[in-house]
Amino acid sequence: MPKTRHTSTALSDPEAPLLRGSAWWLPHGYQLDPHSHVQGQLVYAAAGTLATVTERGTWVAPANRVTWTPPRFAHSHRFYGRTDVRLIAVPLDLCGELVGHPSVFAVSPLLREALLALTDKPERRPGAHRRLLTVVVDELADAAEQSLHLPEPRDDRLRAATALLHADPARPATLAELGRVVGASERTLSRLFHTELSMSFHRWRTTLRIHHALAHLTDGLSVTETAVACGWSNPSSFIDAFTEVIGQTPGRYQADLRGGGK
């Protein structure tokens, strides 16, 4: 992890010198306003959790995943927990190897060490960082996307329904109940979830709750407290849902946070 903290003002400048790789410790709740970069950008939280917000929705990356944002794609960030954030610019000639939309990828042990090396260690031989970055891009190009993506709707009725859940993720309302509030039938809302967001109502709400659960766990709430706060009927159902989406139990996730992700 970095020994020194860089200034947050440099991080908030979209044209700041991030060409090789930079590292910051950021406090819980730190936010970056919408901006874009000339080059592509990888953001990795070696500890903590980050959310990337774009016009297409929100992507969340816990400490075992890395976010990718293509060049000139407007985005903002929010950080949960004291976050060891690593930023790596990807030159335009390498961006074509990766997907053309924001995404999140799993971080393998090899990829983690490469990301840390790019942001921790000075370049000792000309071209060393470029060669290592090429390895990173190769790893990501072959990796399956594991996006905790929460898409945002366009339809006014669907936007009103999802806004109610954003305001209170634990709200137990059924799709029919939400429909009565926003003036749409259950069938219409169900169709809109599938056609606009490419997922079911249940999947969208589960993803929303997982987003909030990651923030609560990072902030120190217990597994039981997080389950209640996010709307699960009992801790075991929360553990099952969290493990399916994140790939580890919430208890293991918190233990990794305390251990700095190792």
Side-chain angles (χ1 to χ4, degrees):
M1 294 184 183
K3 302 296 184 183
T4 60
R5 178 199 290 271
H6 296 257
T7 62
S8 58
T9 54
L11 179 57
S12 64
D13 178 1
E15 301 305 331
L18 303 177
L19 298 182
R20 290 184 176 175
S22 304
W24 284 267
W25 278 103
L26 296 177
H28 173 69
Y30 187 86
Q31 298 185 66
L32 291 178
D33 292 334
H35 62 281
S36 63
H37 301 278
V38 175
Q39 298 180 311
Q41 187 182 68
L42 296 170
V43 185
Y44 173 55
T49 298
L50 70 96
T52 300
V53 182
T54 78
E55 63 180 9
R56 299 188 186 183
T58 302
W59 283 259
V60 168
N64 60 356
R65 302 188 186 184
V66 60
T67 68
W68 157 246
T69 305
R72 300 294 187 185
F73 208 107
H75 61 285
S76 61
H77 295 299
R78 182 179 176 88
F79 301 88
Y80 299 95
R82 186 167 180 262
T83 305
D84 177 8
V85 61
R86 311 303 182 97
L87 299 106
I88 299 168
V90 179
L92 292 176
D93 63 308
L94 292 179
C95 290
E97 302 295 322
L98 301 177
V99 294
H101 55 82
S103 191
V104 176
F105 298 92
V107 175
S108 65
L110 171 61
L111 187 54
R112 173 183 167 80
E113 292 306 314
L115 292 169
L116 296 181
L118 283 169
T119 51
D120 269 347
K121 300 175 181 179
E123 186 174 46
R124 295 176 179 173
R125 294 183 304 279
H129 277 180
R130 168 74 185 206
R131 291 190 292 272
L132 186 54
L133 181 56
T134 301
V135 172
V136 167
V137 171
D138 283 343
E139 285 288 297
L140 292 175
D142 291 335
E145 293 182 59
Q146 295 194 348
S147 291
L148 269 171
H149 178 213
L150 195 68
E152 290 298 323
R154 298 180 301 276
D155 183 273
D156 288 341
R157 295 161 297 178
L158 190 56
R159 289 178 67 89
T162 57
L164 293 172
L165 298 176
H166 273 295
D168 181 12
R171 185 179 182 132
T174 64
L175 198 56
E177 291 168 341
L178 289 173
R180 285 194 289 271
V181 174
V182 304
S185 69
E186 177 181 8
R187 183 174 180 178
T188 296
L189 283 184
S190 178
R191 175 180 56 79
L192 288 170
F193 268 100
H194 284 281
T195 57
E196 285 207 4
L197 307 182
S198 299
M199 62 176 66
S200 68
F201 164 63
H202 173 74
R203 186 66 179 179
W204 190 93
R205 182 160 65 179
T206 297
T207 303
L208 172 69
R209 288 176 170 178
I210 293 293
H211 279 203
H212 283 265
L214 285 165
H216 288 319
L217 291 169
T218 303
D219 203 26
L221 265 66
S222 71
V223 172
T224 298
E225 290 169 333
T226 300
V228 172
C230 294
W232 275 276
S233 58
N234 56 71
S236 62
S237 60
F238 164 54
I239 291 170
D240 289 343
F242 188 94
T243 304
E244 178 188 356
V245 174
I246 302 299
Q248 60 183 164
T249 66
R252 180 70 262 168
Y253 175 74
Q254 279 194 314
D256 284 351
L257 288 176
R258 291 190 291 270
K262 295 183 179 181

Short mmCIF file of all heavy atoms in Angstrom, two decimals, residues 63-120:
data_model
loop_
_atom_site.label_atom_id
_atom_site.label_comp_id
_atom_site.label_asym_id
_atom_site.label_seq_id
_atom_site.Cartn_x
_atom_site.Cartn_y
_atom_site.Cartn_z
N ALA A 63 -13.32 -4.85 -3.12
CA ALA A 63 -11.86 -4.93 -3.19
C ALA A 63 -11.33 -6.10 -4.02
O ALA A 63 -10.13 -6.19 -4.24
CB ALA A 63 -11.27 -5.01 -1.78
N ASN A 64 -12.21 -6.96 -4.50
CA ASN A 64 -11.74 -8.06 -5.35
C ASN A 64 -12.06 -7.84 -6.83
O ASN A 64 -12.01 -8.76 -7.62
CB ASN A 64 -12.34 -9.39 -4.87
CG ASN A 64 -13.85 -9.40 -4.90
OD1 ASN A 64 -14.48 -8.40 -5.21
ND2 ASN A 64 -14.44 -10.53 -4.57
N ARG A 65 -12.38 -6.57 -7.19
CA ARG A 65 -12.71 -6.27 -8.58
C ARG A 65 -12.10 -4.93 -8.99
O ARG A 65 -11.75 -4.11 -8.14
CB ARG A 65 -14.23 -6.26 -8.79
CG ARG A 65 -14.84 -7.61 -8.39
CD ARG A 65 -16.29 -7.73 -8.74
NE ARG A 65 -16.82 -8.99 -8.21
CZ ARG A 65 -18.05 -9.42 -8.41
NH1 ARG A 65 -18.90 -8.71 -9.12
NH2 ARG A 65 -18.45 -10.57 -7.89
N VAL A 66 -11.99 -4.74 -10.29
CA VAL A 66 -11.42 -3.49 -10.81
C VAL A 66 -12.41 -2.91 -11.83
O VAL A 66 -13.05 -3.64 -12.57
CB VAL A 66 -10.04 -3.75 -11.48
CG1 VAL A 66 -10.14 -4.72 -12.64
CG2 VAL A 66 -9.39 -2.44 -11.92
N THR A 67 -12.55 -1.58 -11.83
CA THR A 67 -13.45 -0.94 -12.78
C THR A 67 -12.68 -0.46 -14.02
O THR A 67 -11.52 -0.08 -13.94
CB THR A 67 -14.16 0.29 -12.17
OG1 THR A 67 -13.21 1.32 -11.92
CG2 THR A 67 -14.84 -0.08 -10.86
N TRP A 68 -13.38 -0.49 -15.14
CA TRP A 68 -12.83 -0.02 -16.41
C TRP A 68 -13.78 1.05 -16.96
O TRP A 68 -14.99 0.84 -17.06
CB TRP A 68 -12.71 -1.17 -17.40
CG TRP A 68 -12.69 -0.78 -18.86
CD1 TRP A 68 -13.63 -1.07 -19.81
CD2 TRP A 68 -11.67 -0.02 -19.53
NE1 TRP A 68 -13.27 -0.54 -21.03
CE2 TRP A 68 -12.07 0.11 -20.89
CE3 TRP A 68 -10.47 0.56 -19.12
CZ2 TRP A 68 -11.31 0.79 -21.82
CZ3 TRP A 68 -9.71 1.25 -20.05
CH2 TRP A 68 -10.13 1.35 -21.38
N THR A 69 -13.21 2.21 -17.32
CA THR A 69 -13.99 3.27 -17.96
C THR A 69 -13.30 3.66 -19.25
O THR A 69 -12.12 4.04 -19.25
CB THR A 69 -14.09 4.51 -17.05
OG1 THR A 69 -14.63 4.12 -15.78
CG2 THR A 69 -15.01 5.54 -17.67
N PRO A 70 -13.98 3.55 -20.40
CA PRO A 70 -13.36 3.88 -21.69
C PRO A 70 -13.06 5.37 -21.80
O PRO A 70 -13.55 6.19 -21.01
CB PRO A 70 -14.44 3.47 -22.70
CG PRO A 70 -15.35 2.54 -21.96
CD PRO A 70 -15.34 3.02 -20.55
N PRO A 71 -12.25 5.76 -22.78
CA PRO A 71 -11.92 7.17 -22.99
C PRO A 71 -13.17 8.01 -23.24
O PRO A 71 -14.13 7.56 -23.86
CB PRO A 71 -11.02 7.16 -24.23
CG PRO A 71 -10.51 5.76 -24.32
CD PRO A 71 -11.57 4.89 -23.77
N ARG A 72 -13.12 9.25 -22.74
CA ARG A 72 -14.16 10.25 -22.99
C ARG A 72 -15.54 9.84 -22.49
O ARG A 72 -16.55 10.38 -22.93
CB ARG A 72 -14.25 10.59 -24.48
CG ARG A 72 -12.97 11.15 -25.09
CD ARG A 72 -12.65 12.51 -24.51
NE ARG A 72 -11.51 13.16 -25.18
CZ ARG A 72 -10.98 14.31 -24.80
NH1 ARG A 72 -11.50 14.96 -23.74
NH2 ARG A 72 -9.95 14.84 -25.44
N PHE A 73 -15.61 8.90 -21.57
CA PHE A 73 -16.88 8.43 -21.04
C PHE A 73 -17.11 9.13 -19.70
O PHE A 73 -16.41 8.88 -18.73
CB PHE A 73 -16.86 6.91 -20.86
CG PHE A 73 -18.21 6.27 -20.96
CD1 PHE A 73 -18.55 5.52 -22.07
CD2 PHE A 73 -19.15 6.42 -19.96
CE1 PHE A 73 -19.79 4.92 -22.18
CE2 PHE A 73 -20.39 5.83 -20.05
CZ PHE A 73 -20.72 5.08 -21.17
N ALA A 74 -18.10 10.03 -19.64
CA ALA A 74 -18.35 10.80 -18.42
C ALA A 74 -18.73 9.87 -17.26
O ALA A 74 -19.57 8.97 -17.42
CB ALA A 74 -19.45 11.82 -18.65
N HIS A 75 -18.11 10.10 -16.11
CA HIS A 75 -18.36 9.24 -14.95
C HIS A 75 -18.01 10.00 -13.67
O HIS A 75 -17.32 11.01 -13.69
CB HIS A 75 -17.52 7.97 -15.03
CG HIS A 75 -16.05 8.21 -15.03
ND1 HIS A 75 -15.37 8.70 -16.15
CD2 HIS A 75 -15.10 8.07 -14.07
CE1 HIS A 75 -14.10 8.83 -15.88
NE2 HIS A 75 -13.89 8.47 -14.61
N SER A 76 -18.54 9.51 -12.55
CA SER A 76 -18.17 10.02 -11.24
C SER A 76 -17.89 8.83 -10.34
O SER A 76 -18.24 7.68 -10.66
CB SER A 76 -19.29 10.89 -10.66
OG SER A 76 -20.48 10.14 -10.49
N HIS A 77 -17.27 9.09 -9.19
CA HIS A 77 -16.93 8.02 -8.25
C HIS A 77 -17.38 8.39 -6.84
O HIS A 77 -17.39 9.56 -6.45
CB HIS A 77 -15.42 7.78 -8.20
CG HIS A 77 -14.82 7.27 -9.47
ND1 HIS A 77 -15.18 6.07 -10.04
CD2 HIS A 77 -13.86 7.79 -10.28
CE1 HIS A 77 -14.47 5.88 -11.14
NE2 HIS A 77 -13.67 6.91 -11.30
N ARG A 78 -17.72 7.36 -6.07
CA ARG A 78 -17.94 7.51 -4.64
C ARG A 78 -17.21 6.35 -3.96
O ARG A 78 -17.26 5.22 -4.44
CB ARG A 78 -19.42 7.49 -4.28
CG ARG A 78 -19.68 7.68 -2.77
CD ARG A 78 -21.16 7.67 -2.45
NE ARG A 78 -21.38 7.76 -1.02
CZ ARG A 78 -21.49 8.88 -0.33
NH1 ARG A 78 -21.42 10.04 -0.96
NH2 ARG A 78 -21.69 8.89 0.97
N PHE A 79 -16.56 6.64 -2.83
CA PHE A 79 -15.74 5.65 -2.13
C PHE A 79 -16.34 5.33 -0.76
O PHE A 79 -16.75 6.24 -0.03
CB PHE A 79 -14.31 6.16 -2.00
CG PHE A 79 -13.66 6.46 -3.32
CD1 PHE A 79 -13.79 7.71 -3.91
CD2 PHE A 79 -12.96 5.47 -4.01
CE1 PHE A 79 -13.22 7.98 -5.15
CE2 PHE A 79 -12.38 5.73 -5.24
CZ PHE A 79 -12.51 6.98 -5.81
N TYR A 80 -16.37 4.04 -0.44
CA TYR A 80 -16.94 3.57 0.81
C TYR A 80 -15.86 2.94 1.67
O TYR A 80 -15.11 2.07 1.20
CB TYR A 80 -18.06 2.56 0.54
CG TYR A 80 -19.20 3.15 -0.26
CD1 TYR A 80 -19.24 3.00 -1.64
CD2 TYR A 80 -20.21 3.86 0.37
CE1 TYR A 80 -20.28 3.55 -2.39
CE2 TYR A 80 -21.25 4.41 -0.36
CZ TYR A 80 -21.28 4.26 -1.74
OH TYR A 80 -22.30 4.81 -2.47
N GLY A 81 -15.80 3.37 2.94
CA GLY A 81 -14.73 2.92 3.79
C GLY A 81 -13.46 3.69 3.44
O GLY A 81 -13.37 4.37 2.43
N ARG A 82 -12.46 3.61 4.30
CA ARG A 82 -11.17 4.23 3.98
C ARG A 82 -10.56 3.42 2.84
O ARG A 82 -10.27 2.23 3.00
CB ARG A 82 -10.27 4.22 5.21
CG ARG A 82 -8.96 4.98 5.01
CD ARG A 82 -8.26 5.21 6.35
NE ARG A 82 -7.01 5.93 6.15
CZ ARG A 82 -5.81 5.35 6.09
NH1 ARG A 82 -5.70 4.04 6.23
NH2 ARG A 82 -4.73 6.07 5.92
N THR A 83 -10.41 4.05 1.71
CA THR A 83 -10.14 3.33 0.47
C THR A 83 -8.72 3.57 -0.03
O THR A 83 -8.28 4.72 -0.17
CB THR A 83 -11.14 3.75 -0.62
OG1 THR A 83 -12.47 3.55 -0.13
CG2 THR A 83 -10.95 2.93 -1.88
N ASP A 84 -8.04 2.48 -0.31
CA ASP A 84 -6.72 2.51 -0.95
C ASP A 84 -6.97 2.40 -2.45
O ASP A 84 -7.10 1.32 -3.00
CB ASP A 84 -5.89 1.32 -0.43
CG ASP A 84 -4.53 1.23 -1.09
OD1 ASP A 84 -4.15 2.15 -1.82
OD2 ASP A 84 -3.85 0.22 -0.86
N VAL A 85 -7.09 3.55 -3.10
CA VAL A 85 -7.52 3.57 -4.50
C VAL A 85 -6.31 3.70 -5.42
O VAL A 85 -5.43 4.51 -5.20
CB VAL A 85 -8.55 4.69 -4.75
CG1 VAL A 85 -7.97 6.05 -4.44
CG2 VAL A 85 -9.05 4.67 -6.19
N ARG A 86 -6.30 2.87 -6.46
CA ARG A 86 -5.22 2.87 -7.46
C ARG A 86 -5.82 3.23 -8.81
O ARG A 86 -6.81 2.62 -9.24
CB ARG A 86 -4.58 1.49 -7.53
CG ARG A 86 -4.18 0.89 -6.17
CD ARG A 86 -3.23 1.81 -5.41
NE ARG A 86 -2.81 1.24 -4.15
CZ ARG A 86 -1.67 0.59 -3.96
NH1 ARG A 86 -0.84 0.40 -4.98
NH2 ARG A 86 -1.36 0.13 -2.76
N LEU A 87 -5.23 4.21 -9.47
CA LEU A 87 -5.70 4.65 -10.77
C LEU A 87 -4.63 4.42 -11.82
O LEU A 87 -3.47 4.79 -11.61
CB LEU A 87 -6.07 6.14 -10.74
CG LEU A 87 -7.19 6.50 -9.76
CD1 LEU A 87 -6.60 7.20 -8.55
CD2 LEU A 87 -8.21 7.40 -10.43
N ILE A 88 -5.02 3.85 -12.93
CA ILE A 88 -4.08 3.54 -14.00
C ILE A 88 -4.69 3.99 -15.32
O ILE A 88 -5.78 3.53 -15.69
CB ILE A 88 -3.76 2.04 -14.05
CG1 ILE A 88 -3.11 1.60 -12.74
CG2 ILE A 88 -2.86 1.71 -15.24
CD1 ILE A 88 -3.02 0.12 -12.56
N ALA A 89 -4.02 4.87 -16.02
CA ALA A 89 -4.46 5.31 -17.34
C ALA A 89 -4.06 4.27 -18.38
O ALA A 89 -2.96 3.72 -18.35
CB ALA A 89 -3.87 6.66 -17.69
N VAL A 90 -4.97 4.01 -19.32
CA VAL A 90 -4.71 3.06 -20.40
C VAL A 90 -4.61 3.84 -21.70
O VAL A 90 -5.57 4.48 -22.13
CB VAL A 90 -5.84 2.01 -20.50
CG1 VAL A 90 -5.57 1.04 -21.65
CG2 VAL A 90 -6.00 1.26 -19.18
N PRO A 91 -3.43 3.83 -22.34
CA PRO A 91 -3.25 4.59 -23.60
C PRO A 91 -4.26 4.16 -24.65
O PRO A 91 -4.74 3.02 -24.68
CB PRO A 91 -1.82 4.22 -24.02
CG PRO A 91 -1.14 3.82 -22.75
CD PRO A 91 -2.19 3.16 -21.92
N LEU A 92 -4.57 5.09 -25.54
CA LEU A 92 -5.61 4.86 -26.53
C LEU A 92 -5.33 3.62 -27.38
O LEU A 92 -6.26 2.90 -27.76
CB LEU A 92 -5.75 6.09 -27.44
CG LEU A 92 -6.32 7.34 -26.75
CD1 LEU A 92 -6.30 8.51 -27.74
CD2 LEU A 92 -7.73 7.09 -26.25
N ASP A 93 -4.07 3.34 -27.69
CA ASP A 93 -3.78 2.22 -28.57
C ASP A 93 -4.03 0.88 -27.90
O ASP A 93 -4.11 -0.15 -28.58
CB ASP A 93 -2.34 2.29 -29.08
CG ASP A 93 -1.32 2.18 -27.96
OD1 ASP A 93 -1.43 2.95 -26.98
OD2 ASP A 93 -0.42 1.33 -28.04
N LEU A 94 -4.21 0.86 -26.56
CA LEU A 94 -4.55 -0.38 -25.86
C LEU A 94 -6.04 -0.48 -25.53
O LEU A 94 -6.52 -1.57 -25.21
CB LEU A 94 -3.74 -0.50 -24.57
CG LEU A 94 -2.23 -0.71 -24.70
CD1 LEU A 94 -1.58 -0.77 -23.32
CD2 LEU A 94 -1.92 -1.98 -25.49
N CYS A 95 -6.75 0.64 -25.60
CA CYS A 95 -8.15 0.64 -25.18
C CYS A 95 -9.02 -0.26 -26.05
O CYS A 95 -10.03 -0.81 -25.58
CB CYS A 95 -8.71 2.07 -25.21
SG CYS A 95 -8.03 3.13 -23.91
N GLY A 96 -8.66 -0.40 -27.31
CA GLY A 96 -9.46 -1.23 -28.21
C GLY A 96 -9.47 -2.70 -27.84
O GLY A 96 -10.31 -3.46 -28.33
N GLU A 97 -8.55 -3.11 -26.97
CA GLU A 97 -8.53 -4.50 -26.52
C GLU A 97 -9.61 -4.80 -25.49
O GLU A 97 -9.91 -5.95 -25.21
CB GLU A 97 -7.15 -4.83 -25.91
CG GLU A 97 -5.97 -4.62 -26.85
CD GLU A 97 -6.02 -5.56 -28.03
OE1 GLU A 97 -6.42 -6.73 -27.84
OE2 GLU A 97 -5.67 -5.13 -29.14
N LEU A 98 -10.17 -3.74 -24.90
CA LEU A 98 -11.16 -3.90 -23.84
C LEU A 98 -12.55 -3.49 -24.34
O LEU A 98 -12.69 -2.86 -25.39
CB LEU A 98 -10.76 -3.06 -22.62
CG LEU A 98 -9.39 -3.41 -22.03
CD1 LEU A 98 -9.05 -2.47 -20.88
CD2 LEU A 98 -9.35 -4.87 -21.57
N VAL A 99 -13.57 -3.82 -23.57
CA VAL A 99 -14.95 -3.52 -23.98
C VAL A 99 -15.15 -2.02 -24.08
O VAL A 99 -14.47 -1.22 -23.42
CB VAL A 99 -15.95 -4.13 -22.97
CG1 VAL A 99 -15.89 -5.64 -23.01
CG2 VAL A 99 -15.71 -3.61 -21.56
N GLY A 100 -16.10 -1.61 -24.91
CA GLY A 100 -16.33 -0.21 -25.17
C GLY A 100 -17.30 0.47 -24.23
O GLY A 100 -17.81 1.55 -24.54
N HIS A 101 -17.57 -0.14 -23.10
CA HIS A 101 -18.48 0.44 -22.11
C HIS A 101 -17.90 0.22 -20.72
O HIS A 101 -17.06 -0.66 -20.53
CB HIS A 101 -19.86 -0.20 -22.22
CG HIS A 101 -19.83 -1.70 -22.10
ND1 HIS A 101 -19.78 -2.36 -20.87
CD2 HIS A 101 -19.82 -2.68 -23.04
CE1 HIS A 101 -19.75 -3.66 -21.08
NE2 HIS A 101 -19.77 -3.89 -22.38
N PRO A 102 -18.32 1.01 -19.73
CA PRO A 102 -17.83 0.79 -18.37
C PRO A 102 -18.15 -0.62 -17.90
O PRO A 102 -19.18 -1.19 -18.24
CB PRO A 102 -18.59 1.84 -17.54
CG PRO A 102 -18.96 2.90 -18.52
CD PRO A 102 -19.23 2.16 -19.80
N SER A 103 -17.25 -1.19 -17.14
CA SER A 103 -17.47 -2.55 -16.66
C SER A 103 -16.63 -2.80 -15.41
O SER A 103 -15.83 -1.95 -14.99
CB SER A 103 -17.12 -3.57 -17.74
OG SER A 103 -17.58 -4.85 -17.36
N VAL A 104 -16.83 -3.97 -14.85
CA VAL A 104 -16.09 -4.42 -13.67
C VAL A 104 -15.59 -5.82 -13.93
O VAL A 104 -16.33 -6.66 -14.47
CB VAL A 104 -16.98 -4.39 -12.41
CG1 VAL A 104 -16.24 -4.95 -11.20
CG2 VAL A 104 -17.46 -2.98 -12.12
N PHE A 105 -14.34 -6.08 -13.56
CA PHE A 105 -13.74 -7.39 -13.77
C PHE A 105 -13.19 -7.93 -12.45
O PHE A 105 -12.76 -7.17 -11.59
CB PHE A 105 -12.59 -7.31 -14.78
CG PHE A 105 -13.01 -6.88 -16.16
CD1 PHE A 105 -12.99 -5.53 -16.52
CD2 PHE A 105 -13.44 -7.80 -17.09
CE1 PHE A 105 -13.37 -5.12 -17.78
CE2 PHE A 105 -13.82 -7.41 -18.36
CZ PHE A 105 -13.79 -6.07 -18.71
N ALA A 106 -13.21 -9.26 -12.32
CA ALA A 106 -12.60 -9.89 -11.15
C ALA A 106 -11.09 -9.68 -11.18
O ALA A 106 -10.48 -9.61 -12.25
CB ALA A 106 -12.92 -11.38 -11.13
N VAL A 107 -10.50 -9.56 -10.01
CA VAL A 107 -9.05 -9.35 -9.88
C VAL A 107 -8.40 -10.66 -9.44
O VAL A 107 -8.57 -11.11 -8.31
CB VAL A 107 -8.74 -8.23 -8.88
CG1 VAL A 107 -7.24 -8.10 -8.66
CG2 VAL A 107 -9.32 -6.91 -9.37
N SER A 108 -7.68 -11.29 -10.35
CA SER A 108 -6.94 -12.50 -10.04
C SER A 108 -5.70 -12.13 -9.23
O SER A 108 -5.30 -10.96 -9.19
CB SER A 108 -6.51 -13.20 -11.33
OG SER A 108 -5.58 -12.38 -12.04
N PRO A 109 -5.05 -13.10 -8.57
CA PRO A 109 -3.81 -12.79 -7.85
C PRO A 109 -2.76 -12.12 -8.74
O PRO A 109 -2.09 -11.17 -8.31
CB PRO A 109 -3.36 -14.16 -7.35
CG PRO A 109 -4.63 -14.93 -7.18
CD PRO A 109 -5.50 -14.48 -8.33
N LEU A 110 -2.61 -12.61 -9.98
CA LEU A 110 -1.65 -12.00 -10.90
C LEU A 110 -2.02 -10.55 -11.21
O LEU A 110 -1.18 -9.65 -11.18
CB LEU A 110 -1.58 -12.80 -12.20
CG LEU A 110 -0.77 -12.18 -13.34
CD1 LEU A 110 0.68 -11.98 -12.94
CD2 LEU A 110 -0.88 -13.04 -14.61
N LEU A 111 -3.32 -10.33 -11.49
CA LEU A 111 -3.76 -8.99 -11.83
C LEU A 111 -3.60 -8.04 -10.65
O LEU A 111 -3.17 -6.89 -10.81
CB LEU A 111 -5.23 -9.03 -12.28
CG LEU A 111 -5.83 -7.75 -12.85
CD1 LEU A 111 -4.98 -7.21 -13.99
CD2 LEU A 111 -7.25 -8.00 -13.31
N ARG A 112 -3.90 -8.50 -9.45
CA ARG A 112 -3.73 -7.66 -8.26
C ARG A 112 -2.28 -7.20 -8.11
O ARG A 112 -2.01 -6.01 -7.91
CB ARG A 112 -4.18 -8.41 -7.01
CG ARG A 112 -3.88 -7.65 -5.72
CD ARG A 112 -4.27 -8.44 -4.48
NE ARG A 112 -3.71 -7.83 -3.29
CZ ARG A 112 -4.21 -6.77 -2.64
NH1 ARG A 112 -5.32 -6.20 -3.09
NH2 ARG A 112 -3.62 -6.29 -1.56
N GLU A 113 -1.36 -8.14 -8.21
CA GLU A 113 0.05 -7.79 -8.03
C GLU A 113 0.53 -6.83 -9.13
O GLU A 113 1.33 -5.93 -8.87
CB GLU A 113 0.91 -9.05 -8.00
CG GLU A 113 0.67 -9.93 -6.78
CD GLU A 113 0.82 -9.17 -5.48
OE1 GLU A 113 1.81 -8.41 -5.33
OE2 GLU A 113 -0.05 -9.32 -4.60
N ALA A 114 0.02 -7.01 -10.34
CA ALA A 114 0.41 -6.11 -11.43
C ALA A 114 -0.14 -4.70 -11.19
O ALA A 114 0.57 -3.71 -11.40
CB ALA A 114 -0.11 -6.66 -12.76
N LEU A 115 -1.39 -4.60 -10.73
CA LEU A 115 -1.98 -3.30 -10.46
C LEU A 115 -1.24 -2.59 -9.33
O LEU A 115 -0.99 -1.38 -9.39
CB LEU A 115 -3.46 -3.46 -10.10
CG LEU A 115 -4.38 -3.93 -11.24
CD1 LEU A 115 -5.75 -4.31 -10.70
CD2 LEU A 115 -4.50 -2.87 -12.32
N LEU A 116 -0.87 -3.34 -8.29
CA LEU A 116 -0.13 -2.75 -7.18
C LEU A 116 1.26 -2.30 -7.64
O LEU A 116 1.74 -1.23 -7.25
CB LEU A 116 -0.03 -3.74 -6.03
CG LEU A 116 -1.35 -4.14 -5.35
CD1 LEU A 116 -1.07 -5.11 -4.21
CD2 LEU A 116 -2.11 -2.92 -4.85
N ALA A 117 1.90 -3.12 -8.45
CA ALA A 117 3.24 -2.76 -8.93
C ALA A 117 3.21 -1.50 -9.79
O ALA A 117 4.10 -0.65 -9.70
CB ALA A 117 3.83 -3.92 -9.73
N LEU A 118 2.18 -1.36 -10.61
CA LEU A 118 2.08 -0.18 -11.48
C LEU A 118 1.87 1.10 -10.68
O LEU A 118 2.21 2.20 -11.15
CB LEU A 118 0.93 -0.36 -12.47
CG LEU A 118 1.20 -1.28 -13.66
CD1 LEU A 118 -0.09 -1.58 -14.41
CD2 LEU A 118 2.21 -0.63 -14.61
N THR A 119 1.31 0.99 -9.49
CA THR A 119 0.99 2.19 -8.70
C THR A 119 1.90 2.37 -7.50
O THR A 119 1.93 3.45 -6.90
CB THR A 119 -0.47 2.14 -8.22
OG1 THR A 119 -0.72 0.87 -7.57
CG2 THR A 119 -1.42 2.29 -9.38
N ASP A 120 2.66 1.36 -7.13
CA ASP A 120 3.55 1.43 -5.96
C ASP A 120 5.00 1.71 -6.31
O ASP A 120 5.71 2.40 -5.59
CB ASP A 120 3.50 0.11 -5.18
CG ASP A 120 2.44 0.13 -4.09
OD1 ASP A 120 1.93 1.21 -3.78
OD2 ASP A 120 2.14 -0.95 -3.55
#
